[in-house]
Amino acid sequence: MRSLLFTLTLGLLHPAGPALAASDTRDHATPIPVATFAKAPLIYNVALSPDGKRVASLMNVPGGTALITQRTDGSDLRTVLSSDNKQMLFSWVRWVNNERMLASVRYRTRRQDILTEDTRLVAVDFDGGERLDMSQLPDSGMRHSQQIQDRVVDWLPGDGRHVLLEQWAPTTTVPAVYRVNIETGERRMVHSPQRGVGHWITDAEHRVRAGIRQTDDQVEIIVSNPDGSNWRPLWRYDLFSRDEVQLLGFDKDPNVLFIRADHEGRRAVFTVDLRDPGLKRTLRLAHPEQDLAGHLIRSQLSGEIVGFVADGDADGDAPSTEFWDPELNTLAEAFNKALPGRFNRLLGLSHDELRYLIYSSGNGIPGQYYIGDRESGRLTLLADQYEHLKPANLVGKQAIRITARDGTTMRAFLSRPKQRPTGTGPLVLLPHGGPHSRDDNDFDLLTEFLANRGYTVLQLNFRGSSGYGYEFEAAGLQRWGMEMQDDLTDAVKWAVATGIADPRQVCIVGGSYGGYAALMGAIKTPDLYRCAVSINGVTDLEELVHHIRNFQGGKAAARLQFGSFWSDSARLHDTSPVHHAERIQVPVMVLHGSDDRVVPVEHGRAMSRALKKAGKRYTYIELPGAGHHPDGPVHRKILLTALEEFLATHLKGDEEQ
């Protein structure tokens, strides 16, 4: 197995060195083979060891995935663990000390006839030596083992032998906090469970200091004094309310708490001094148009919170890593200058803060991992995630704004094929999943595939999308198939009116919620689209609500997002595609993974039966063994091949409807 490290480097504090990728002689208008797009990313979930001398990562290899380690100079590459991805899949890996790691794995199972995914932890040495299953076995007083067993509350930097882990206490189904030895598996409870508290948070001294309790549709944040006394409520709020408070972590001062909360209609980062009876909030970081989401960066040298890593910026006009420490802020300015026009996310700092790891991706630039050295001032490319996709052959996205019929402004992204950078042509509307999610201008494999096939791609952040404040996201609650769908209709009409889309050549394609929207688009506006494609899409809202209610906290979440299973049943029925197949007038393709744990495969099967009964033109493809995200190269090749053939058949302007 070859080293991942590339020898090309660029001066971090000096002008950039040689280009990172050789020029590609491929004709930019020539379709890239489906098999090339279907390839899995080379590596992902890269982690830097505490001393900054090694990295661990998950690597896709023929037949599965391997957990690998290597030195940051590219030497000593080792396979530590491997999986064929059929039963067990890797989720993440992280170092506990310079020799030993924890890896999270998930596997598909069934609990009380409900298809689920369970998670477990495995401790392993960097060379694949000593391995230890960290699973909590069923206690004699419990009916079954805990489903989620990879929630590390505190990594205890500087300890190196233990972590603090959330696990069920005996005879309960709420978590206590255990101090777990990663070498022996021995565990000791350090904080007992409390009624309704599902998550715990520690301070900089590794003391359990805060908890999050949910009772039906209300959330309560509780906190204690530094010595563990005086547990008390800080905030109470309803699910999906403007008053939501997200705990980010404690500063070095045990009385200073970082939170994420509302600021002028957008989520921002604040600090709160717990000694203040009024809990006054001090603003630390905000964006005028978008919510901030992400995690804090703690200095291992000082113990202080020194920065914030954002999950990403929807319109690409804010940095992904923000430091409050002046020296580290200079570092961020330097790597942002070296890698301009991208999202540059700090993934890790060595304990001496001299080495660091960043993930860089951008508009039309696939993800890359870099190792930085502050002493030498150099930034070295560790690996390209998609080394087979060259930026010269990709198109990226243009950020635009579209106004809905009621005056609501919506962000959107437009990708134009190289062979038609301007003018009118076939359009694919690509609504995102979630729906409480969003599209951004980061690299997007499916968008690039469609643009490479000659289609203009339009991605809209319709109301209900996250990231644009409480009001915009809340506008999607209980509005599936209604205003949310109208937003998509208005986006297509905008594209036609501006001369981007040929009205006879528009197809709607989506996955998960986007698959639901594709089917509802064909039902609600039958003259707007030439065809529709649903990938793992929701087709029956009543069935989805019933499914969600089986999970912890699911009854309240389902009621608030969709409505009452009983009193809103008529609306749920009327906005479910499976009940309106007879209204569809265009060809439809439905794809669904047989092992989907999020939207069960029965949604796809039921839609197929309804389309057949109604005598409609449809194609149903079931992907055996695929989950909600068919990311494996075999499943992805089937999906992309079917999508390419379907669109080529039905987006020809002279085809009869």
Side-chain angles (χ1 to χ4, degrees), residues 114-135:
I114 302 298
L115 297 177
T116 64
E117 277 194 342
D118 284 20
T119 64
R120 300 291 185 266
L121 285 176
V122 178
V124 62
D125 288 347
F126 79 95
D127 58 1
E130 293 293 328
R131 305 180 187 182
L132 178 66
D133 182 355
M134 305 286 286
S135 302

Side-chain angles (χ1 to χ4, degrees), residues 436 463-464 470-480 483-484:
H436 303 294
R463 71 193 73 200
Y470 169 77
E471 295 291 345
F472 193 81
E473 185 169 0
L477 296 175
Q478 302 184 21
R479 308 310 291 173
W480 285 40
E483 294 89 349
M484 298 168 74

Side-chain angles (χ1 to χ4, degrees), residues 296-529:
L296 300 172
I297 309 167
R298 186 184 301 277
S299 169
Q300 298 306 315
L301 293 177
S302 68
E304 297 177 340
I305 298 298
V306 293
F308 181 81
V309 177
D311 290 341
D313 179 75
D315 292 344
D317 61 355
S320 294
T321 302
E322 185 85 23
F323 286 109
W324 294 299
D325 177 271
E327 290 188 8
L328 291 175
N329 191 55
T330 300
L331 170 66
E333 291 174 350
F335 64 63
N336 284 329
K337 183 178 180 180
L339 301 169
R342 310 184 185 195
F343 297 139
N344 298 313
R345 304 172 181 88
L346 181 74
L347 299 183
L349 280 163
S350 61
H351 278 186
D352 60 11
E353 297 183 358
L354 295 179
R355 291 194 172 192
Y356 59 96
L357 172 70
I358 64 172
Y359 176 74
S360 178
S361 62
N363 196 354
I365 302 174
Q368 297 176 314
Y369 290 95
Y370 287 86
I371 295 291
D373 189 312
R374 297 175 69 187
E375 289 185 311
S376 66
R378 299 191 70 82
L379 192 64
T380 304
L381 177 63
L382 177 67
D384 284 288
Q385 277 197 303
Y386 296 93
E387 59 182 347
H388 47 282
L389 293 175
K390 305 303 181 184
N393 296 327
L394 305 177
V395 300
K397 303 177 185 180
Q398 174 190 355
I400 57 176
R401 301 196 179 202
I402 296 174
T403 303
R405 64 190 69 181
D406 64 356
T408 299
T409 298
M410 302 174 292
R411 279 75 162 185
F413 299 91
L414 195 66
S415 299
R416 303 295 300 262
K418 284 185 175 292
Q419 55 268 52
R420 196 182 63 259
T422 61
T424 304
L427 174 79
V428 173
L429 180 66
L430 192 63
H432 61 71
H436 303 294
S437 178
R438 72 183 185 191
D439 282 313
D440 57 26
N441 66 354
D442 206 349
F443 171 73
D444 188 320
L445 189 77
L446 181 56
T447 300
E448 292 290 351
F449 172 74
L450 292 169
N452 184 258
R453 291 313 188 255
Y455 305 108
T456 296
V457 183
L458 179 59
Q459 296 171 281
L460 177 73
N461 286 327
F462 43 84
R463 71 193 73 200
S465 301
S466 61
Y468 301 105
Y470 169 77
E471 295 291 345
F472 193 81
E473 185 169 0
L477 296 175
Q478 302 184 21
R479 308 310 291 173
W480 285 40
M482 291 181 276
E483 294 89 349
M484 298 168 74
Q485 195 70 41
D486 294 340
D487 288 346
L488 296 169
T489 300
D490 293 346
V492 174
K493 291 182 177 180
W494 170 87
V496 171
T498 55
I500 291 171
D502 183 336
R504 301 167 301 168
Q505 295 178 285
V506 179
C507 188
I508 181 169
V509 178
S512 194
Y513 172 83
Y516 165 88
L519 295 171
M520 281 303 296
I523 291 166
K524 192 171 182 179
T525 50
D527 298 328
L528 194 64
Y529 301 106

